[in-house]
Amino acid sequence: DAKTTQPNSMESNEEEPVHLPCNHSTISGTDYIHWYRQLPSQGPEYVIHGLTSNVNNRMASLAIAEDRKSSTLILHRATLRDAAVYYCILRDVEETSGSRLTFGEGTQLTVNP
Amino acid sequence: ETGVTQTPRHLVMGMTNKKSLKCEQHLGHNAMYWYKQSAKKPLELMFVYSLEERVENNSVPSRFSPECPNSSHLFLHLHTLQPEDSALYLCASSQGTYMNTEAFFGQGTRLTVV
């Protein structure tokens, strides 16, 4: 399985942009890059995903490097509610069972008021 | 509200008890998953069901027994558990198991084995 590497923790101030990095140097051509986040005492929540091009949605933006070996999740204006563990995941495919989400340690984001 | 509901939210059981965790999704999805999240550890995939058929069993001990009677419901039957099985058990669903679909998670069942 292709693996991802994220910093263990990051801090941000409220209303400032946050850039959460993810390295995935062994990514294959058909791996999608997914981001999920997990707020305290809740299940993970989908944030965004992409393949090659940068993606935007109402929650965040995903910037993907040209060689696809890294990506960055961008929260444009952090709020206190964005404090969570953010997971960068490569969606891998196995013939017998289809695709599955494999979670790593993630990045704990702290947002300071 | 994600559309995936898990019950109960909290469960305390003895090692000789039998209990079941329930998951229900109202999203019309055809794939459902059980994950385990122990303290200070990443989420571990336990089981995957696609079209009500189990397609993955991730070396999970037989004291955990999943059941998927239809595409909207998923159960995890528990018996003779150990204290180290105490964890947050999360259910998820998605439309298919393909690479570009997002998964929706329930809020989990916090299980304590005493």
Side-chain angles (χ1 to χ4, degrees):
Chain A
D1 293 352
K3 298 285 187 244
T4 64
T5 305
Q6 299 177 253
N8 287 336
S9 62
M10 289 185 66
E11 268 192 59
S12 170
N13 295 321
E14 203 175 5
E15 298 190 9
E16 289 184 359
V18 182
H19 291 235
L20 296 161
C22 181
N23 288 319
H24 27 78
S25 57
T26 59
I27 191 170
S28 74
T30 52
D31 281 330
Y32 278 76
I33 302 159
H34 288 245
W35 284 82
Y36 282 74
R37 70 180 186 180
Q38 188 172 18
L39 279 65
S41 303
Q42 294 192 29
E45 172 188 32
Y46 168 82
V47 177
I48 200 166
H49 78 275
L51 184 61
T52 56
S53 306
N54 294 344
V55 185
N56 299 298
N57 66 19
R58 63 176 178 80
M59 289 181 72
S61 295
L62 176 60
I64 301 173
E66 203 168 320
D67 62 7
R68 301 212 324 126
K69 295 188 176 185
S70 65
S71 60
T72 303
L73 180 71
I74 302 165
L75 307 178
H76 295 285
R77 284 179 78 234
T79 70
L80 297 178
R81 290 187 71 250
D82 291 322
V85 179
Y86 285 78
Y87 299 98
C88 169
I89 303 166
L90 299 183
R91 191 91 189 247
D92 59 353
V93 174
E94 294 183 0
E95 273 187 35
T96 53
S97 63
S99 162
R100 55 189 172 88
L101 285 172
T102 303
F103 287 80
E105 306 276 352
T107 296
Q108 174 69 63
L109 176 66
T110 300
V111 180
N112 300 313
Chain B
E1 181 57 56
T2 63
V4 179
T5 304
Q6 289 187 242
T7 54
R9 292 291 310 277
H10 300 271
L11 178 63
V12 179
M13 60 185 287
M15 289 190 283
T16 57
N17 291 158
K18 286 186 181 181
K19 296 285 184 185
S20 295
L21 309 185
K22 180 182 175 184
C23 176
E24 188 173 356
Q25 56 97 1
H26 306 281
L27 301 167
H29 290 164
N30 56 17
M32 296 187 79
Y33 312 77
W34 279 116
Y35 281 86
K36 174 185 177 183
Q37 188 172 32
S38 304
K40 310 290 185 191
K41 291 172 96 173
L43 279 82
E44 303 168 56
L45 180 64
M46 300 175 73
F47 300 105
V48 179
Y49 275 83
S50 178
L51 298 171
E52 300 149 44
E53 197 176 311
R54 192 192 311 179
V55 295
E56 184 160 342
N57 175 346
N58 235 17
S59 303
V60 180
S62 59
R63 57 185 184 270
F64 295 91
S65 174
E67 180 190 2
C68 187
N70 54 60
S71 59
S72 299
H73 293 86
L74 185 66
F75 295 89
L76 187 62
H77 304 298
L78 315 171
H79 65 98
T80 52
L81 294 193
Q82 306 297 312
E84 59 265 28
D85 296 322
S86 299
L88 180 68
Y89 288 85
L90 289 155
C91 172
S93 72
S94 65
Q95 185 53 39
T97 56
Y98 300 106
M99 288 183 290
N100 60 348
T101 59
E102 63 184 90
F104 292 79
F105 284 80
Q107 294 202 306
T109 295
R110 176 71 62 187
L111 173 69
T112 303
V113 181
V114 296

